[in-house]
Amino acid sequence: MSETVINLFLDILAAVYTNFAILYFSRRLLPVRNKISLFFLLFLFTLPMSLCFLMKRSALSGEFTLLIQILILGCVFIGFHASFLQKLAVYFIFVLLETCAEIVASSVFLQIHNLLFPTVIYTPSTLRSQCSPVEFLIIQFFNMALGLFLMKKVAHILQQCFSYLKAVTFFELLSPVILPALANNLLALPCSLFLKIFFCILYWILCILGSFLFYGAICTLRLQHEKHICHQQEALLLKEQLNTSKTLSAEYASLRKWNHDIENHLFSLSYLINTQNYIEADKYLGSVLYQKAAPSHTFEKTDSPSADFTANPSQNQFRSTPLLFISTFLFQLTYFLATLYPQETSLEFFILGVLLVFICIIFYQTLNDQLKKIQLASQFSMLQKQHQMEQEQMEHLHFRTEETYTLQTKTKSALTHIQNLLSNHKYSEAAAALDRFSHAFQKERFHPYCQDNLIQAILEGKKLRAEQYHIQVSYEIFLPDKLSIEITDLCSVFFNLMDNAIEACLQSDSQKPFIRLSTEFSGECLSIYLHNTKNPELIFNHQTTKKESYNPLPSHGFGLSIIEDICRKYDGAYQWLDRTDHFDSIVLLKLL
């Protein structure tokens, strides 16, 4: 009776652990449908899984093993929100990790037990049926600890690439182990000598195929991770640019207010002179010069923090990759020999377990090194771009404040001259000087492209950058008074459109490159049009077109995908038109 209770406890423990492990592993990789449902699923699947473990122990039938796998798969498909292939990939990776942990736990226990108790020899096939409940509990605890450890480490790696990595790539990464396991089932079948030789050849063909698939999956992983990192890099740089542009936005707001005040003062002064209130005009002008016309502040140009970007991140190949292929070959060879010449000993089982652990360690190290290398290159490129961006923003700020200071100085000088004429009773000359200055001020004053100061700062910065490369830029920006579109999203569209246009102009080799940006709104839609020069030899294929010499990652080309995401967010549309020697970009955003 006590042994039955202990066995029931062990089966419940195995069921609780299996449910908890699959929910824990899936939770690290997939979004949950409802956090409360995880606890519900844990209790819901524990009872039938406990019954399956109990029946499996008593009947020793493979049908209950299949039912357990169906319940595990049900936990993944019911509790988490993801694509079918992603869920299937999580299931297969979980089963592989569980199998690995079970093999290692059983093989280690076998070796230790047979060494300490040589009179009672356990074999892999008789371990579960002959071991005592206490021994089974020891194996189970070891299996649980190792399984959770493997899941934690593997989930840490997969979290960096699971959201974008294709499910096929996961199966290709596991193919050196999965394909031999499938062929091994055929090899273990009783058959004629001819079929046995055929299955042996098929086994090694699949092993070689798995190695090629694994190498191709490593290359695919690198490319997909590079693309994902570059997309994140573009988003981070855009955020940095928006934060930096806020300083310029405040400067434009101050300048816009100063322009407005001076125009009002000129209008009032003109009215007083035209009505021959010269004494009042003299006093009014004196108060204006004292309060408004003097430059309120100036900025000194400072250099951006210097940095040394000459050191390139290491481009060495991973030394762990050949070791992974060697250990995988030894595993496949031992697996092949153990199936071809089966023996009721635990040595081969132990060797397979050790090799499997060794493969998992090297596989983890290989993927970890791969992702770290790409991350290092991304950080290096990010620092370089941030340094360049800070220099451009500082030059923009210096240019704008110097122009503002020059205009304010001219304004003060002109108004002082008019005041002197009024003080000397030269009223006709003062009126003429005021008229000349009013016309000159209207030409030289700051003319904003739009009413939003942040967008103004962004467009002005892009124009200054383009003019450094002799690119002609013109804007016609009309925005509604109240924008339902988030200003950060709209700024992202302008940022990426202008960056892509400037890059296209630089690659065009045209003598007179140009960029024309215009917006208009009608009804519930905001339309953005961009027309720019491009190289007729370069055909638009929606791919990145530039790599920096210091960075193996592509540095441009992801702006369009960011714009497309924003269009989908606002139920809009986009169109990219390659017209040989120029390019048209059309973006439509719905005003919510």
Side-chain angles (χ1 to χ4, degrees):
M1 180 66 180
S2 60
E3 185 175 349
T4 304
V5 173
I6 294 175
N7 288 334
L8 180 62
F9 168 75
L10 292 176
D11 293 332
I12 295 175
L13 178 64
V16 172
Y17 161 71
T18 303
N19 278 323
F20 173 79
I22 185 60
L23 293 175
Y24 166 77
F25 185 67
S26 303
R27 178 66 182 86
R28 298 286 298 271
L29 300 176
L30 302 176
V32 185
R33 292 185 185 274
N34 189 344
K35 292 183 179 180
I36 303 177
S37 67
L38 293 183
F39 298 98
F40 175 73
L41 286 175
L42 182 63
F43 289 104
L44 179 65
F45 282 87
T46 296
L47 179 60
M49 194 171 290
S50 301
L51 294 175
C52 289
F53 274 110
L54 181 62
M55 298 303 294
K56 178 184 176 181
R57 176 189 290 271
S58 58
L60 296 177
S61 174
E63 297 175 356
F64 296 102
T65 302
L66 180 61
L67 288 176
I68 292 173
Q69 298 303 317
I70 292 175
L71 289 173
I72 294 173
L73 196 59
C75 285
V76 179
F77 275 82
I78 295 175
F80 300 90
H81 180 72
S83 66
F84 174 80
L85 291 178
Q86 284 182 323
K87 293 179 180 178
L88 202 61
V90 169
Y91 165 75
F92 277 111
I93 295 172
F94 172 79
V95 170
L96 180 65
L97 295 177
E98 272 292 281
T99 304
C100 178
E102 186 177 357
I103 290 175
V104 173
S106 301
S107 61
V108 170
F109 177 82
L110 276 175
Q111 289 299 112
I112 296 176
H113 178 274
N114 293 343
L115 183 63
L116 297 178
F117 306 100
T119 56
V120 183
I121 300 296
Y122 290 156
T123 64
S125 59
T126 61
L127 176 62
R128 293 301 174 90
S129 60
Q130 294 183 356
C131 69
S132 66
V134 176
E135 291 173 334
F136 183 79
L137 183 62
I138 294 173
I139 297 174
Q140 190 66 19
F141 274 122
F142 186 27
N143 178 28
M144 290 164 56
L146 183 59
L148 291 175
F149 174 78
L150 291 176
M151 290 175 202
K152 180 180 178 181
K153 291 296 183 181
V154 172
H156 172 71
I157 289 292
L158 294 179
Q159 279 176 338
Q160 304 178 49
C161 56
F162 193 82
S163 60
Y164 61 86
L165 199 60
K166 297 179 180 178
V168 177
T169 308
F170 284 113
F171 295 114
E172 290 176 349
L173 288 171
L174 302 176
S175 58
V177 176
I178 293 178
L179 292 181
L182 295 176
N184 184 69
N185 294 328
L186 298 175
L187 196 61
L189 294 175
C191 57
S192 63
L193 179 62
F194 175 78
L195 285 178
K196 184 72 71 173
I197 295 174
F198 173 75
F199 289 147
C200 290
I201 296 174
L202 179 63
Y203 177 89
W204 287 108
I205 290 176
L206 291 177
C207 289
I208 296 173
L209 177 62
S211 299
F212 280 107
L213 290 176
F214 175 79
Y215 179 78
I218 289 290
C219 297
T220 303
L221 172 66
R222 177 181 177 82
L223 293 176
Q224 292 179 358
H225 193 60
E226 284 179 356
K227 183 177 180 180
H228 178 72
I229 288 295
C230 287
H231 199 287
Q232 288 184 331
Q233 189 182 94
E234 290 291 328
L236 288 175
L237 281 174
L238 179 60
K239 185 177 179 180
E240 289 286 337
Q241 286 180 317
L242 286 175
N243 290 334
T244 309
S245 297
K246 290 180 180 178
T247 304
L248 289 168
S249 174
E251 186 68 19
Y252 280 114
S254 176
L255 180 57
R256 192 192 300 268
K257 182 178 183 303
W258 184 84
N259 281 349
H260 181 265
D261 291 345
I262 292 298
E263 285 181 331
N264 288 338
H265 293 321
L266 292 178
F267 178 79
S268 300
L269 187 61
S270 177
Y271 173 79
L272 291 174
I273 292 177
N274 290 334
T275 57
Q276 298 182 357
N277 293 322
Y278 301 118
I279 298 176
E280 294 294 331
D282 190 8
K283 292 180 180 180
Y284 182 78
L285 188 53
S287 64
V288 169
L289 286 171
Y290 178 76
Q291 296 178 2
K292 298 290 184 182
S296 57
H297 56 272
T298 59
F299 291 86
E300 293 183 0
K301 184 175 180 180
T302 58
D303 295 329
S304 298
S306 60
D308 181 14
F309 297 101
T310 57
N312 200 357
S314 174
Q315 303 293 326
N316 295 331
Q317 297 297 324
F318 305 110
R319 290 173 291 182
S320 57
T321 304
L323 193 60
L324 178 62
F325 279 105
I326 293 173
S327 58
T328 304
F329 170 75
L330 292 177
F331 172 81
Q332 294 168 345
L333 179 62
T334 307
Y335 200 17
F336 174 76
L337 294 176
T339 307
L340 199 62
Y341 305 104
Q343 298 179 4
E344 286 297 317
T345 63
S346 60
L347 180 60
E348 292 177 345
F349 190 61
F350 177 73
I351 294 174
L352 283 174
V354 171
L355 287 174
L356 195 57
V357 172
F358 196 59
I359 289 173
C360 290
I361 293 174
I362 302 176
F363 182 70
Y364 171 82
Q365 190 65 37
T366 301
L367 290 183
N368 194 37
D369 289 346
Q370 182 86 319
L371 299 180
K372 281 184 178 179
K373 177 183 177 181
I374 298 174
Q375 194 72 29
L376 180 62
S378 171
Q379 292 174 355
F380 180 82
S381 173
M382 187 76 171
L383 289 174
Q384 179 75 11
K385 291 180 179 180
Q386 282 181 342
H387 180 72
Q388 180 182 357
M389 182 191 69
E390 288 173 0
Q391 287 182 327
E392 291 179 356
Q393 295 285 2
M394 187 60 67
E395 291 174 359
H396 181 190
L397 181 60
H398 178 71
F399 171 80
R400 174 47 52 201
T401 51
E402 274 202 349
E403 277 210 341
T404 301
Y405 178 80
T406 302
L407 181 59
Q408 289 175 337
T409 303
K410 287 182 178 180
T411 301
K412 180 182 179 182
S413 177
L415 294 180
T416 302
H417 176 64
I418 295 172
Q419 186 185 33
N420 292 332
L421 292 176
L422 290 173
S423 300
N424 295 326
H425 308 292
K426 298 180 180 180
Y427 303 125
S428 58
E429 294 181 18
L434 177 61
D435 186 62
R436 288 195 302 270
F437 173 70
S438 297
H439 286 87
F441 180 80
Q442 290 299 326
K443 292 181 180 179
E444 296 179 8
R445 73 172 181 86
F446 168 67
H447 294 276
Y449 306 121
C450 64
Q451 297 301 316
D452 189 274
N453 293 316
L454 183 57
I455 296 178
Q456 171 67 40
I458 292 170
L459 295 180
E460 180 73 8
K462 297 303 178 184
K463 183 177 181 180
L464 291 176
R465 181 189 169 200
E467 288 176 349
Q468 290 178 351
Y469 302 107
H470 309 288
I471 301 173
Q472 182 183 0
V473 179
S474 62
Y475 295 133
E476 292 182 8
I477 308 298
F478 300 98
L479 298 176
D481 295 332
K482 293 184 179 180
L483 270 174
S484 57
I485 303 172
E486 293 182 15
I487 191 63
T488 53
D489 290 334
L490 192 57
C491 290
S492 298
V493 173
F494 287 129
F495 257 125
N496 289 292
L497 284 177
M498 290 300 297
D499 282 342
N500 289 336
I502 293 173
E503 180 187 329
C505 289
L506 292 176
Q507 295 176 346
S508 67
D509 296 328
S510 174
Q511 297 297 324
K512 295 182 179 179
F514 64 88
I515 298 173
R516 290 199 292 268
L517 176 66
S518 62
T519 66
E520 61 181 34
F521 61 93
S522 58
E524 298 181 349
C525 188
L526 174 66
S527 305
I528 304 175
Y529 304 95
L530 183 71
H531 185 67
N532 62 268
T533 308
K534 68 173 286 289
N535 191 336
E537 297 179 359
L538 295 178
I539 300 175
F540 174 72
N541 58 1
H542 212 285
Q543 298 289 331
T544 180
T545 58
K546 183 179 178 181
K547 285 189 178 183
E548 306 289 355
S549 59
Y550 54 81
N551 179 23
L553 303 181
S555 59
H556 294 284
F558 294 94
L560 295 184
S561 63
I562 295 176
I563 297 174
E564 292 166 3
D565 290 340
I566 294 174
C567 287
R568 285 187 283 269
K569 178 180 177 180
Y570 292 96
D571 195 21
Y574 55 86
Q575 192 172 15
W576 320 119
L577 303 175
D578 187 348
R579 304 188 186 279
T580 309
D581 60 345
H582 64 273
F583 192 84
D584 290 336
S585 303
I586 304 173
V587 177
L588 303 178
L589 300 176
K590 189 175 181 181
L591 300 173
L592 303 177

